[in-house]
Amino acid sequence: MIGKHGRVTLSRWACWLTSLTVGLSCAAAVTVFGELSIGALLAVGGTGLLVTVAGLARRAGEAAPPVGRAGLPWLGWLAAGVAWEFFALLDDEVSTVSDLADPVLAHPAVRAAATLAWLLAAAWLLRRPRHRPQQS
């Protein structure tokens, strides 16, 4: 029967250790396998899938206050990025963002640091509030 068993919770220490292990493993895989390899793609894709599932299961950010007008600059940046990529698809003379980032990310240590920064951003998103505080 579904719902017969209680919810399993992990201590903060276990969650932190698991996150650290997954993050360092992903960064190591990206460093060892090299850029644009199947191994690096699987490591990043698998880790991204794990983070997505964890966020959905935890309902991360559900209780965060609405962004409102403060999100408009971010929406502008997103629209500019999408427009740039779309324009690059239409014109072979225009470099994509990934083409511009390739020389910077060519060194394995920089690529590992960028992977860890990506995972830290994901961890921050997962730590967002799940429940609204009780009003007194």
Side-chain angles (χ1 to χ4, degrees), residues 67-86:
V67 175
R69 291 183 183 213
L72 288 177
W74 290 103
L75 184 59
W77 280 107
L78 179 65
V82 168
W84 178 297
E85 291 294 318
F86 183 71

Side-chain angles (χ1 to χ4, degrees), residues 18-69:
T18 302
S19 299
L20 181 67
T21 303
V22 169
L24 290 178
S25 298
C26 180
V30 168
T31 302
V32 170
F33 291 125
E35 61 184 315
L36 303 177
S37 68
I38 295 295
L41 176 67
L42 290 174
V44 170
T47 304
L49 183 64
L50 275 172
V51 169
T52 301
V53 168
L56 291 172
R58 293 186 71 223
R59 301 173 71 105
E62 182 177 72
V67 175
R69 291 183 183 213

Side-chain angles (χ1 to χ4, degrees), residues 62-136:
E62 182 177 72
V67 175
R69 291 183 183 213
L72 288 177
W74 290 103
L75 184 59
W77 280 107
L78 179 65
V82 168
W84 178 297
E85 291 294 318
F86 183 71
F87 187 67
L89 273 174
L90 298 176
D91 186 359
D92 288 338
E93 298 295 317
V94 177
S95 298
T96 64
V97 174
S98 62
D99 289 337
L100 296 173
D102 278 346
V104 175
L105 297 175
H107 193 275
V110 176
R111 195 168 46 252
T115 302
L116 288 175
W118 173 69
L119 290 170
L120 284 173
W124 175 77
L125 287 171
L126 285 175
R127 303 273 312 150
R128 298 195 49 168
R130 292 180 281 175
H131 305 290
R132 292 202 186 270
Q134 296 276 335
Q135 298 290 334
S136 340

